[in-house]
Amino acid sequence: MSTVTPAAKTSLASEVTAALATVVDPELDEPITDLGFVRSIRIDDVGVTVHLRLPTSFCAPNFAYLMAADAQDALRRVPGAGRVMVLLDDHHDSDRINAGLALNAGYRGTFGPEAEDSLDELRRIFQRKAHTAAMERCVMALLRTTDRKLEDLHELTLGELPGGPHKEALLRRRTDIGLGIGPDDLVVVDEDGRPVAQSAVPLRLRYAKAVRVSVEGNAHFCRGLLATRYDDEPGGLTTHITDTRRAS
Amino acid sequence: MYEHEGEKYFVVDAHIALWDGRASNQKNIHGKQFIDCFYDYHKNLSPTDAVWDYDTYTYYGGQRLLKDLFEDGYVDHAIFQPAILGEFYRTGFGQTEEALELTRQNPGRLTYNHAWDPRFGEEGLKQLREDAGRMNLKGVKLYTAEWHGDSRGWKLDDPWSRRYLEECLELGIKNIHVHKGPTIRPLDRDAFDVADIDKVATDYTDLNFIVEHVGLPRLEDFCWIATQESNVYGGLAVAMPFIHTRPGYFAQILGELLYWIGEDKILFSSDYAIWTPKWLVEKFVDFQLPAGQSEYGPITVEQKKKILGLNAAALYDLDVPEELRLPTDAGDTDAEVAAGAKEAVAS
């Protein structure tokens, strides 16, 4: 439960929450704070302790590890946070992941020989998917709301896209995978940012749509399962925030 | 058989189980976590009046199965696709002998598919030969994310896996169902990856590869592969129940599948007992793709008939009553798949 806190404390709690909001589920492409994955935040004189939870005990350990490690990194960047502890609850690899995080053991150090050396490539696969889905949302919205034609989408530039959440999301995803965000940069590009020939645009968009349906479907699953899994818990999927730090 | 508005549908439930997830059969905490996870799926995506109590769900037995499928559920034929999970359950999760006996007692209504795991090497191959004869195997269900000792999984194109696939060819086991869905105790590298399907589908064109759960959450990778391989199919287990909770989203999945792989390559299944077939069949026959989305639909009665049963019947050489038949390209490895998408991909 949130406690009534003086302004100075609220500021740290909100900074912690903001830091956690920068952590996304790589598969779902949504912040862990929106997904209900942050179970509790405790701020005390020593530091910050965050408990994370996931839709099932069997969520892929590589993704679980990515999110927990990203959360730890994000919290360590909050000035004055103190000692940071991130704990993953109710997962089949909870003990392993929590021990690995506490020791800064890295993914391979946590999981041993069958693990890849690093999860960067995995992260990149999903960042590319997120970009493809975001591009499709922007382009389809444009086709629905303007007289823009499919035939000339190969020439569409970022500057021609109307502002709004779809465009902002696209620009963020482009930045994540190292694509330009200038007004003259092309919108419909392949995964490496290369232009798509006019004749290939319909298939590129069709594939992009399948990517979007896939990502969104997984998000439906995860939200639903998380709600079912924790529906008996007091407060449901809200984040419990406790702040006992004495004002300095 | 399901009859609705003058149309008759031959129904094949292509993915069912007879499991024992009771505490008495759990080897460790993961056994409990696994059945609890299944129960959350069941509770989250079933209509309220189709939700079971937890104890019934952990073990329901053969008679309940027969009633839910054949008396209440309109199913003409059902196919066991067991998850063995020997590391979690004392006698396995899927109950092999019980399901086999039920199959023997109900000839023509049930097919038993078994499983193999290439990490058992020569011993496993020998076992597969014995199983094929004793169980009259026409298909297998493979679970590449199953744990075995220190290993967290395997791939279909591993050298030993290829030996097993070659053995399947010899033994006449032509339907290879592969779990590629929401992951469970996965290997780290490719829990969802469908790339191994691509490789073996190309190399073993006389086998049919049925990707269960249509590769969700990698639907696009699955579609891309299936468009280019005429022996790759999509099983709707786990995607099906969205028809109730998120029909708009179900329409998108189905629309994408019809575009990419086509009406002859999609198989209905309830994933019983995660869900029961009765409401899924009723809702599917009533279902229509939204008129507002010009790229989809409408889905026709013929397409529904193929998806609900005729495609699976073709893969398993089931005897479909004359009046319920339709021509389908399912099982024909020379047939074109989703011609529009295929041409686009090739160009």
Side-chain angles (χ1 to χ4, degrees):
Chain A
M1 287 291 147
S2 285
T3 51
V4 181
T5 52
K9 287 184 177 182
T10 311
S11 157
L12 182 58
S14 58
E15 279 177 49
V16 163
T17 308
L20 291 170
T22 66
V23 178
V24 295
D25 180 314
E27 258 187 312
L28 309 185
D29 192 29
E30 293 185 44
I32 58 171
T33 44
D34 290 353
L35 289 163
F37 291 178
V38 181
R39 189 180 209 165
S40 66
I41 298 168
R42 199 185 79 217
I43 300 169
D44 59 24
D45 290 339
V46 180
V48 178
T49 305
V50 169
H51 282 261
L52 302 180
R53 62 184 161 199
L54 293 171
T56 80
S57 297
F58 293 97
C59 289
N62 43 14
F63 294 110
Y65 182 84
L66 263 182
M67 285 185 271
D70 285 356
Q72 198 173 50
D73 289 346
L75 292 170
R76 283 176 176 159
R77 287 194 289 267
V78 175
R83 191 196 66 188
V84 167
M85 269 204 2
V86 174
L87 296 159
L88 178 64
D89 297 345
D90 308 333
H91 189 270
H92 67 73
D93 277 328
S94 280
D95 292 346
R96 208 165 179 174
I97 289 173
N98 293 340
L101 288 171
L103 293 170
N104 288 318
Y107 182 63
R108 178 106 196 235
T110 301
F111 282 100
E114 279 219 356
E116 295 278 284
D117 281 337
S118 129
L119 291 175
D120 291 347
E121 185 52 34
L122 184 78
R123 190 197 300 274
R124 194 154 176 84
I125 287 171
F126 284 92
Q127 283 174 334
R128 285 190 179 132
K129 282 179 191 284
H131 162 257
T132 302
M135 176 191 77
E136 196 263 357
R137 286 188 197 100
C138 281
V139 171
M140 295 318 284
L142 196 72
L143 288 179
R144 272 198 303 275
T145 55
T146 67
D147 55 5
R148 192 96 198 186
K149 294 280 180 290
L150 189 64
E151 296 81 67
D152 54 34
L153 286 179
H154 63 292
E155 295 175 329
L156 179 70
T157 60
L158 289 172
E160 295 173 90
L161 280 181
H166 283 332
K167 183 175 182 177
E168 287 165 23
L170 177 64
L171 296 181
R172 273 203 307 280
R173 307 297 178 261
R174 287 180 69 108
T175 305
D176 286 343
I177 59 170
L179 303 187
I181 53 169
D184 296 331
D185 285 317
L186 293 173
V187 174
V188 180
V189 292
D190 71 9
E191 290 182 346
D192 298 312
R194 289 182 296 239
V196 175
Q198 186 174 15
S199 61
V201 168
L203 184 65
R204 173 74 183 135
L205 290 180
R206 192 74 215 206
Y207 181 73
K209 178 169 193 173
V211 173
R212 176 178 63 73
V213 170
S214 197
V215 172
E216 289 177 359
N218 212 28
H220 291 319
F221 258 125
C222 292
R223 285 179 184 281
L225 287 173
L226 189 78
T228 300
R229 189 178 191 199
Y230 291 102
D231 69 348
D232 295 338
E233 196 148 295
L237 294 186
T238 56
T239 303
H240 297 230
I241 303 174
T242 324
D243 188 346
T244 60
R245 186 173 289 192
R246 285 166 294 187
S248 53
Chain B
M1 200 262 291
Y2 181 58
E3 187 167 358
H4 186 67
E5 293 180 346
E7 294 287 349
K8 292 176 177 174
Y9 301 81
F10 185 79
V11 179
V12 179
D13 195 336
H15 195 301
I16 65 156
L18 181 53
W19 67 57
D20 183 355
R22 286 176 291 191
S24 55
N25 193 30
Q26 292 167 9
K27 234 182 202 177
N28 47 39
I29 180 68
H30 308 310
K32 173 159 174 51
Q33 289 173 337
F34 187 88
I35 188 69
D36 285 356
C37 170
F38 264 34
Y39 191 56
D40 283 350
Y41 273 77
H42 168 73
K43 269 198 302 185
N44 180 241
L45 292 175
S46 296
T48 318
D49 60 4
V51 174
W52 298 5
D53 65 89
Y54 181 78
D55 286 341
T56 306
Y57 191 79
T58 55
Y59 179 74
Y60 40 92
Q63 295 312 306
R64 169 92 197 223
L65 180 148
L66 294 176
K67 184 176 189 308
D68 285 333
L69 297 180
F70 303 114
E71 280 179 46
D72 299 341
Y74 317 113
V75 174
D76 294 285
H77 195 98
I79 304 165
F80 283 109
Q81 308 285 3
I84 307 296
L85 300 177
E87 302 245 347
F88 295 180
Y89 295 97
R90 295 175 205 283
T91 63
F93 184 61
Q95 296 302 294
T96 305
E97 298 308 322
E98 199 177 355
L100 205 53
E101 186 53 33
L102 204 63
T103 304
R104 290 199 183 104
Q105 289 166 4
N106 292 272
R109 296 173 102 186
L110 286 165
T111 292
Y112 183 73
N113 281 1
H114 201 50
W116 49 256
D117 183 330
R119 293 167 300 185
F120 286 92
E122 288 289 355
E123 274 298 301
L125 273 177
K126 188 164 156 260
Q127 186 69 49
L128 175 61
R129 280 178 219 118
E130 284 172 24
D131 291 343
R134 186 169 82 89
M135 300 174 180
N136 189 29
L137 296 181
K138 297 280 178 286
V140 285
K141 168 77 188 291
L142 304 179
Y143 204 80
T144 57
E146 182 141 1
W147 280 34
H148 178 62
D150 290 336
S151 164
R152 285 196 171 200
W154 54 280
K155 291 185 192 178
L156 286 166
D157 58 326
D158 288 343
W160 269 100
S161 170
R162 287 176 176 275
R163 288 191 58 183
Y164 279 66
L165 290 171
E166 279 151 23
E167 195 68 38
C168 284
L169 276 171
E170 293 280 317
L171 296 167
I173 302 172
K174 61 173 183 169
N175 296 315
I176 314 294
H177 297 252
V178 191
H179 176 107
K180 290 288 183 186
T183 195
I184 296 176
R185 274 265 177 183
L187 52 162
D188 297 316
R189 279 161 283 205
D190 66 344
F192 311 120
D193 195 358
V194 291
D196 55 345
I197 299 266
D198 196 10
K199 292 177 186 159
V200 292
T202 307
D203 293 345
Y204 302 97
T205 49
D206 289 335
L207 297 175
N208 301 313
F209 292 90
I210 302 99
V211 177
E212 295 298 346
H213 321 309
V214 292
L216 283 172
R218 289 196 178 174
L219 178 71
E220 72 282 11
D221 293 336
F222 160 67
C223 287
W224 191 259
I225 289 164
T227 297
Q228 296 167 76
E229 310 288 345
S230 60
N231 55 337
V232 173
Y233 296 76
L236 284 174
V238 177
M240 247 356 269
F242 277 130
I243 202 167
H244 160 64
T245 47
R246 297 183 187 275
Y249 178 66
F250 179 76
Q252 293 189 26
I253 298 181
L254 193 63
E256 290 304 303
L257 290 172
L258 285 169
Y259 172 79
W260 287 101
I261 71 174
E263 65 199 50
D264 296 319
K265 304 285 174 174
I266 307 170
L267 272 53
F268 165 80
S269 40
S270 66
D271 222 341
Y272 182 85
I274 305 185
W275 298 285
T276 42
K278 182 175 191 291
W279 62 273
L280 289 171
V281 172
E282 289 169 353
K283 281 179 192 281
F284 185 71
V285 168
D286 273 340
F287 187 76
Q288 194 43 267
L289 295 166
Q293 298 180 34
S294 57
E295 73 272 33
Y296 294 144
I299 180 171
T300 65
V301 168
E302 285 70 26
Q303 287 174 322
K304 289 179 183 175
K305 287 182 177 180
K306 289 180 175 185
I307 294 168
L308 265 183
L310 299 178
N311 293 338
L315 292 186
Y316 281 86
D317 304 315
L318 302 177
D319 188 22
V320 180
E322 188 74 42
E323 54 164 353
L324 302 180
R325 288 182 202 169
L326 269 181
T328 168
D329 285 338
D332 179 355
T333 50
D334 294 328
E336 281 290 306
V337 282
K342 186 168 186 170
E343 277 162 26
V345 171
S347 65

PDB file of all heavy atoms in Angstrom, chain B residues 78-104:
ATOM      1  N   ALA B  78     -11.037 -37.556 -32.716  1.00  0.00           N
ATOM      2  CA  ALA B  78     -10.093 -36.733 -31.949  1.00  0.00           C
ATOM      3  C   ALA B  78      -8.729 -37.412 -31.910  1.00  0.00           C
ATOM      4  O   ALA B  78      -8.630 -38.641 -31.959  1.00  0.00           O
ATOM      5  CB  ALA B  78     -10.603 -36.510 -30.536  1.00  0.00           C
ATOM      6  N   ILE B  79      -7.689 -36.593 -31.831  1.00  0.00           N
ATOM      7  CA  ILE B  79      -6.318 -37.104 -31.896  1.00  0.00           C
ATOM      8  C   ILE B  79      -5.547 -36.696 -30.643  1.00  0.00           C
ATOM      9  O   ILE B  79      -5.427 -35.503 -30.337  1.00  0.00           O
ATOM     10  CB  ILE B  79      -5.603 -36.563 -33.153  1.00  0.00           C
ATOM     11  CG1 ILE B  79      -6.413 -36.927 -34.413  1.00  0.00           C
ATOM     12  CG2 ILE B  79      -4.186 -37.134 -33.251  1.00  0.00           C
ATOM     13  CD1 ILE B  79      -6.024 -36.165 -35.657  1.00  0.00           C
ATOM     14  N   PHE B  80      -5.047 -37.700 -29.933  1.00  0.00           N
ATOM     15  CA  PHE B  80      -4.234 -37.418 -28.749  1.00  0.00           C
ATOM     16  C   PHE B  80      -2.886 -36.846 -29.166  1.00  0.00           C
ATOM     17  O   PHE B  80      -2.213 -37.395 -30.047  1.00  0.00           O
ATOM     18  CB  PHE B  80      -3.989 -38.709 -27.952  1.00  0.00           C
ATOM     19  CG  PHE B  80      -5.165 -39.159 -27.145  1.00  0.00           C
ATOM     20  CD1 PHE B  80      -5.886 -40.290 -27.508  1.00  0.00           C
ATOM     21  CD2 PHE B  80      -5.560 -38.455 -26.015  1.00  0.00           C
ATOM     22  CE1 PHE B  80      -6.972 -40.711 -26.761  1.00  0.00           C
ATOM     23  CE2 PHE B  80      -6.645 -38.877 -25.259  1.00  0.00           C
ATOM     24  CZ  PHE B  80      -7.361 -40.005 -25.632  1.00  0.00           C
ATOM     25  N   GLN B  81      -2.507 -35.764 -28.518  1.00  0.00           N
ATOM     26  CA  GLN B  81      -1.182 -35.160 -28.752  1.00  0.00           C
ATOM     27  C   GLN B  81      -0.541 -34.957 -27.384  1.00  0.00           C
ATOM     28  O   GLN B  81      -0.615 -33.883 -26.795  1.00  0.00           O
ATOM     29  CB  GLN B  81      -1.321 -33.799 -29.463  1.00  0.00           C
ATOM     30  CG  GLN B  81      -2.164 -33.795 -30.711  1.00  0.00           C
ATOM     31  CD  GLN B  81      -1.480 -34.421 -31.912  1.00  0.00           C
ATOM     32  OE1 GLN B  81      -0.367 -34.933 -31.826  1.00  0.00           O
ATOM     33  NE2 GLN B  81      -2.164 -34.403 -33.053  1.00  0.00           N
ATOM     34  N   PRO B  82       0.083 -35.993 -26.862  1.00  0.00           N
ATOM     35  CA  PRO B  82       0.502 -35.928 -25.462  1.00  0.00           C
ATOM     36  C   PRO B  82       1.779 -35.124 -25.218  1.00  0.00           C
ATOM     37  O   PRO B  82       2.688 -35.108 -26.043  1.00  0.00           O
ATOM     38  CB  PRO B  82       0.766 -37.409 -25.133  1.00  0.00           C
ATOM     39  CG  PRO B  82       1.185 -38.002 -26.437  1.00  0.00           C
ATOM     40  CD  PRO B  82       0.421 -37.268 -27.501  1.00  0.00           C
ATOM     41  N   ALA B  83       1.802 -34.456 -24.067  1.00  0.00           N
ATOM     42  CA  ALA B  83       3.055 -33.918 -23.530  1.00  0.00           C
ATOM     43  C   ALA B  83       3.482 -34.894 -22.443  1.00  0.00           C
ATOM     44  O   ALA B  83       2.704 -35.169 -21.529  1.00  0.00           O
ATOM     45  CB  ALA B  83       2.830 -32.520 -22.963  1.00  0.00           C
ATOM     46  N   ILE B  84       4.685 -35.420 -22.554  1.00  0.00           N
ATOM     47  CA  ILE B  84       5.096 -36.469 -21.621  1.00  0.00           C
ATOM     48  C   ILE B  84       5.595 -35.874 -20.297  1.00  0.00           C
ATOM     49  O   ILE B  84       5.137 -36.263 -19.219  1.00  0.00           O
ATOM     50  CB  ILE B  84       6.190 -37.367 -22.253  1.00  0.00           C
ATOM     51  CG1 ILE B  84       5.723 -37.885 -23.622  1.00  0.00           C
ATOM     52  CG2 ILE B  84       6.524 -38.518 -21.308  1.00  0.00           C
ATOM     53  CD1 ILE B  84       4.518 -38.804 -23.612  1.00  0.00           C
ATOM     54  N   LEU B  85       6.507 -34.929 -20.374  1.00  0.00           N
ATOM     55  CA  LEU B  85       6.993 -34.219 -19.180  1.00  0.00           C
ATOM     56  C   LEU B  85       7.412 -35.155 -18.046  1.00  0.00           C
ATOM     57  O   LEU B  85       6.992 -35.003 -16.900  1.00  0.00           O
ATOM     58  CB  LEU B  85       5.927 -33.232 -18.693  1.00  0.00           C
ATOM     59  CG  LEU B  85       5.511 -32.155 -19.686  1.00  0.00           C
ATOM     60  CD1 LEU B  85       4.396 -31.288 -19.108  1.00  0.00           C
ATOM     61  CD2 LEU B  85       6.686 -31.273 -20.075  1.00  0.00           C
ATOM     62  N   GLY B  86       8.268 -36.091 -18.411  1.00  0.00           N
ATOM     63  CA  GLY B  86       8.734 -37.077 -17.443  1.00  0.00           C
ATOM     64  C   GLY B  86       9.546 -36.491 -16.295  1.00  0.00           C
ATOM     65  O   GLY B  86       9.717 -37.135 -15.259  1.00  0.00           O
ATOM     66  N   GLU B  87      10.045 -35.277 -16.467  1.00  0.00           N
ATOM     67  CA  GLU B  87      10.818 -34.658 -15.377  1.00  0.00           C
ATOM     68  C   GLU B  87       9.916 -33.991 -14.343  1.00  0.00           C
ATOM     69  O   GLU B  87      10.379 -33.581 -13.285  1.00  0.00           O
ATOM     70  CB  GLU B  87      11.787 -33.614 -15.958  1.00  0.00           C
ATOM     71  CG  GLU B  87      12.745 -34.188 -16.970  1.00  0.00           C
ATOM     72  CD  GLU B  87      14.209 -34.130 -16.531  1.00  0.00           C
ATOM     73  OE1 GLU B  87      14.517 -33.435 -15.553  1.00  0.00           O
ATOM     74  OE2 GLU B  87      15.026 -34.802 -17.184  1.00  0.00           O
ATOM     75  N   PHE B  88       8.636 -33.833 -14.709  1.00  0.00           N
ATOM     76  CA  PHE B  88       7.716 -33.153 -13.790  1.00  0.00           C
ATOM     77  C   PHE B  88       6.739 -34.116 -13.121  1.00  0.00           C
ATOM     78  O   PHE B  88       6.222 -33.837 -12.052  1.00  0.00           O
ATOM     79  CB  PHE B  88       6.872 -32.114 -14.528  1.00  0.00           C
ATOM     80  CG  PHE B  88       7.621 -30.952 -15.119  1.00  0.00           C
ATOM     81  CD1 PHE B  88       6.927 -29.966 -15.811  1.00  0.00           C
ATOM     82  CD2 PHE B  88       8.989 -30.826 -14.984  1.00  0.00           C
ATOM     83  CE1 PHE B  88       7.594 -28.879 -16.365  1.00  0.00           C
ATOM     84  CE2 PHE B  88       9.668 -29.750 -15.535  1.00  0.00           C
ATOM     85  CZ  PHE B  88       8.963 -28.776 -16.229  1.00  0.00           C
ATOM     86  N   TYR B  89       6.422 -35.230 -13.823  1.00  0.00           N
ATOM     87  CA  TYR B  89       5.350 -36.124 -13.346  1.00  0.00           C
ATOM     88  C   TYR B  89       5.818 -37.572 -13.282  1.00  0.00           C
ATOM     89  O   TYR B  89       6.529 -38.042 -14.177  1.00  0.00           O
ATOM     90  CB  TYR B  89       4.126 -36.016 -14.264  1.00  0.00           C
ATOM     91  CG  TYR B  89       3.493 -34.652 -14.237  1.00  0.00           C
ATOM     92  CD1 TYR B  89       3.793 -33.704 -15.205  1.00  0.00           C
ATOM     93  CD2 TYR B  89       2.608 -34.302 -13.210  1.00  0.00           C
ATOM     94  CE1 TYR B  89       3.222 -32.433 -15.163  1.00  0.00           C
ATOM     95  CE2 TYR B  89       2.035 -33.036 -13.160  1.00  0.00           C
ATOM     96  CZ  TYR B  89       2.347 -32.105 -14.139  1.00  0.00           C
ATOM     97  OH  TYR B  89       1.788 -30.852 -14.096  1.00  0.00           O
ATOM     98  N   ARG B  90       5.378 -38.258 -12.236  1.00  0.00           N
ATOM     99  CA  ARG B  90       5.836 -39.639 -11.993  1.00  0.00           C
ATOM    100  C   ARG B  90       5.498 -40.559 -13.161  1.00  0.00           C
ATOM    101  O   ARG B  90       6.348 -41.309 -13.641  1.00  0.00           O
ATOM    102  CB  ARG B  90       5.182 -40.190 -10.716  1.00  0.00           C
ATOM    103  CG  ARG B  90       5.614 -39.464  -9.466  1.00  0.00           C
ATOM    104  CD  ARG B  90       4.855 -39.965  -8.240  1.00  0.00           C
ATOM    105  NE  ARG B  90       4.811 -38.936  -7.207  1.00  0.00           N
ATOM    106  CZ  ARG B  90       5.827 -38.622  -6.413  1.00  0.00           C
ATOM    107  NH1 ARG B  90       6.963 -39.286  -6.500  1.00  0.00           N
ATOM    108  NH2 ARG B  90       5.710 -37.659  -5.515  1.00  0.00           N
ATOM    109  N   THR B  91       4.242 -40.528 -13.608  1.00  0.00           N
ATOM    110  CA  THR B  91       3.855 -41.400 -14.731  1.00  0.00           C
ATOM    111  C   THR B  91       3.688 -40.589 -16.007  1.00  0.00           C
ATOM    112  O   THR B  91       2.982 -40.989 -16.921  1.00  0.00           O
ATOM    113  CB  THR B  91       2.529 -42.128 -14.435  1.00  0.00           C
ATOM    114  OG1 THR B  91       1.483 -41.139 -14.304  1.00  0.00           O
ATOM    115  CG2 THR B  91       2.606 -42.928 -13.148  1.00  0.00           C
ATOM    116  N   GLY B  92       4.359 -39.444 -16.057  1.00  0.00           N
ATOM    117  CA  GLY B  92       4.187 -38.552 -17.200  1.00  0.00           C
ATOM    118  C   GLY B  92       2.927 -37.708 -17.026  1.00  0.00           C
ATOM    119  O   GLY B  92       2.068 -38.008 -16.189  1.00  0.00           O
ATOM    120  N   PHE B  93       2.826 -36.640 -17.806  1.00  0.00           N
ATOM    121  CA  PHE B  93       1.635 -35.780 -17.749  1.00  0.00           C
ATOM    122  C   PHE B  93       0.537 -36.435 -18.585  1.00  0.00           C
ATOM    123  O   PHE B  93      -0.504 -36.824 -18.078  1.00  0.00           O
ATOM    124  CB  PHE B  93       1.999 -34.396 -18.271  1.00  0.00           C
ATOM    125  CG  PHE B  93       0.886 -33.382 -18.166  1.00  0.00           C
ATOM    126  CD1 PHE B  93       0.360 -33.046 -16.932  1.00  0.00           C
ATOM    127  CD2 PHE B  93       0.401 -32.746 -19.307  1.00  0.00           C
ATOM    128  CE1 PHE B  93      -0.658 -32.100 -16.832  1.00  0.00           C
ATOM    129  CE2 PHE B  93      -0.608 -31.797 -19.219  1.00  0.00           C
ATOM    130  CZ  PHE B  93      -1.140 -31.473 -17.975  1.00  0.00           C
ATOM    131  N   GLY B  94       0.782 -36.632 -19.876  1.00  0.00           N
ATOM    132  CA  GLY B  94      -0.145 -37.383 -20.710  1.00  0.00           C
ATOM    133  C   GLY B  94      -0.132 -38.842 -20.273  1.00  0.00           C
ATOM    134  O   GLY B  94       0.929 -39.417 -20.038  1.00  0.00           O
ATOM    135  N   GLN B  95      -1.304 -39.443 -20.148  1.00  0.00           N
ATOM    136  CA  GLN B  95      -1.393 -40.815 -19.646  1.00  0.00           C
ATOM    137  C   GLN B  95      -1.429 -41.785 -20.825  1.00  0.00           C
ATOM    138  O   GLN B  95      -2.493 -42.092 -21.375  1.00  0.00           O
ATOM    139  CB  GLN B  95      -2.626 -40.959 -18.755  1.00  0.00           C
ATOM    140  CG  GLN B  95      -2.539 -40.099 -17.502  1.00  0.00           C
ATOM    141  CD  GLN B  95      -1.309 -40.440 -16.663  1.00  0.00           C
ATOM    142  OE1 GLN B  95      -1.209 -41.535 -16.126  1.00  0.00           O
ATOM    143  NE2 GLN B  95      -0.360 -39.503 -16.569  1.00  0.00           N
ATOM    144  N   THR B  96      -0.252 -42.275 -21.186  1.00  0.00           N
ATOM    145  CA  THR B  96      -0.086 -43.074 -22.394  1.00  0.00           C
ATOM    146  C   THR B  96      -0.991 -44.310 -22.412  1.00  0.00           C
ATOM    147  O   THR B  96      -1.779 -44.497 -23.346  1.00  0.00           O
ATOM    148  CB  THR B  96       1.386 -43.517 -22.523  1.00  0.00           C
ATOM    149  OG1 THR B  96       2.199 -42.343 -22.477  1.00  0.00           O
ATOM    150  CG2 THR B  96       1.618 -44.256 -23.829  1.00  0.00           C
ATOM    151  N   GLU B  97      -0.875 -45.145 -21.384  1.00  0.00           N
ATOM    152  CA  GLU B  97      -1.597 -46.427 -21.428  1.00  0.00           C
ATOM    153  C   GLU B  97      -3.107 -46.217 -21.367  1.00  0.00           C
ATOM    154  O   GLU B  97      -3.874 -46.907 -22.031  1.00  0.00           O
ATOM    155  CB  GLU B  97      -1.122 -47.342 -20.295  1.00  0.00           C
ATOM    156  CG  GLU B  97       0.359 -47.707 -20.396  1.00  0.00           C
ATOM    157  CD  GLU B  97       0.754 -48.264 -21.770  1.00  0.00           C
ATOM    158  OE1 GLU B  97      -0.042 -49.026 -22.375  1.00  0.00           O
ATOM    159  OE2 GLU B  97       1.865 -47.923 -22.255  1.00  0.00           O
ATOM    160  N   GLU B  98      -3.519 -45.261 -20.556  1.00  0.00           N
ATOM    161  CA  GLU B  98      -4.957 -44.994 -20.412  1.00  0.00           C
ATOM    162  C   GLU B  98      -5.538 -44.474 -21.727  1.00  0.00           C
ATOM    163  O   GLU B  98      -6.625 -44.902 -22.162  1.00  0.00           O
ATOM    164  CB  GLU B  98      -5.162 -43.970 -19.287  1.00  0.00           C
ATOM    165  CG  GLU B  98      -6.564 -43.935 -18.738  1.00  0.00           C
ATOM    166  CD  GLU B  98      -6.704 -42.949 -17.580  1.00  0.00           C
ATOM    167  OE1 GLU B  98      -5.683 -42.370 -17.154  1.00  0.00           O
ATOM    168  OE2 GLU B  98      -7.839 -42.744 -17.125  1.00  0.00           O
ATOM    169  N   ALA B  99      -4.806 -43.582 -22.370  1.00  0.00           N
ATOM    170  CA  ALA B  99      -5.267 -43.022 -23.642  1.00  0.00           C
ATOM    171  C   ALA B  99      -5.284 -44.093 -24.730  1.00  0.00           C
ATOM    172  O   ALA B  99      -6.189 -44.149 -25.565  1.00  0.00           O
ATOM    173  CB  ALA B  99      -4.379 -41.855 -24.054  1.00  0.00           C
ATOM    174  N   LEU B 100      -4.269 -44.943 -24.687  1.00  0.00           N
ATOM    175  CA  LEU B 100      -4.161 -46.020 -25.671  1.00  0.00           C
ATOM    176  C   LEU B 100      -5.330 -46.996 -25.521  1.00  0.00           C
ATOM    177  O   LEU B 100      -5.945 -47.425 -26.509  1.00  0.00           O
ATOM    178  CB  LEU B 100      -2.826 -46.738 -25.451  1.00  0.00           C
ATOM    179  CG  LEU B 100      -2.191 -47.476 -26.606  1.00  0.00           C
ATOM    180  CD1 LEU B 100      -2.062 -46.588 -27.829  1.00  0.00           C
ATOM    181  CD2 LEU B 100      -0.819 -47.993 -26.180  1.00  0.00           C
ATOM    182  N   GLU B 101      -5.639 -47.342 -24.285  1.00  0.00           N
ATOM    183  CA  GLU B 101      -6.740 -48.257 -24.021  1.00  0.00           C
ATOM    184  C   GLU B 101      -8.066 -47.637 -24.478  1.00  0.00           C
ATOM    185  O   GLU B 101      -8.913 -48.299 -25.085  1.00  0.00           O
ATOM    186  CB  GLU B 101      -6.774 -48.582 -22.517  1.00  0.00           C
ATOM    187  CG  GLU B 101      -7.792 -49.637 -22.113  1.00  0.00           C
ATOM    188  CD  GLU B 101      -7.678 -50.934 -22.924  1.00  0.00           C
ATOM    189  OE1 GLU B 101      -6.565 -51.302 -23.308  1.00  0.00           O
ATOM    190  OE2 GLU B 101      -8.741 -51.550 -23.190  1.00  0.00           O
ATOM    191  N   LEU B 102      -8.231 -46.358 -24.197  1.00  0.00           N
ATOM    192  CA  LEU B 102      -9.454 -45.657 -24.612  1.00  0.00           C
ATOM    193  C   LEU B 102      -9.565 -45.650 -26.141  1.00  0.00           C
ATOM    194  O   LEU B 102     -10.658 -45.802 -26.701  1.00  0.00           O
ATOM    195  CB  LEU B 102      -9.411 -44.224 -24.080  1.00  0.00           C
ATOM    196  CG  LEU B 102     -10.740 -43.497 -23.889  1.00  0.00           C
ATOM    197  CD1 LEU B 102     -11.597 -44.199 -22.839  1.00  0.00           C
ATOM    198  CD2 LEU B 102     -10.496 -42.044 -23.464  1.00  0.00           C
ATOM    199  N   THR B 103      -8.433 -45.490 -26.801  1.00  0.00           N
ATOM    200  CA  THR B 103      -8.408 -45.503 -28.260  1.00  0.00           C
ATOM    201  C   THR B 103      -8.845 -46.878 -28.786  1.00  0.00           C
ATOM    202  O   THR B 103      -9.626 -46.975 -29.734  1.00  0.00           O
ATOM    203  CB  THR B 103      -6.990 -45.170 -28.774  1.00  0.00           C
ATOM    204  OG1 THR B 103      -6.607 -43.908 -28.228  1.00  0.00           O
ATOM    205  CG2 THR B 103      -6.942 -45.092 -30.286  1.00  0.00           C
ATOM    206  N   ARG B 104      -8.345 -47.932 -28.130  1.00  0.00           N
ATOM    207  CA  ARG B 104      -8.714 -49.290 -28.553  1.00  0.00           C
ATOM    208  C   ARG B 104     -10.201 -49.558 -28.350  1.00  0.00           C
ATOM    209  O   ARG B 104     -10.834 -50.237 -29.145  1.00  0.00           O
ATOM    210  CB  ARG B 104      -7.902 -50.322 -27.756  1.00  0.00           C
ATOM    211  CG  ARG B 104      -6.445 -50.318 -28.130  1.00  0.00           C
ATOM    212  CD  ARG B 104      -5.752 -51.613 -27.692  1.00  0.00           C
ATOM    213  NE  ARG B 104      -4.334 -51.533 -28.016  1.00  0.00           N
ATOM    214  CZ  ARG B 104      -3.372 -51.304 -27.110  1.00  0.00           C
ATOM    215  NH1 ARG B 104      -3.666 -51.165 -25.841  1.00  0.00           N
ATOM    216  NH2 ARG B 104      -2.114 -51.220 -27.497  1.00  0.00           N
TER     217      ARG B 104
END
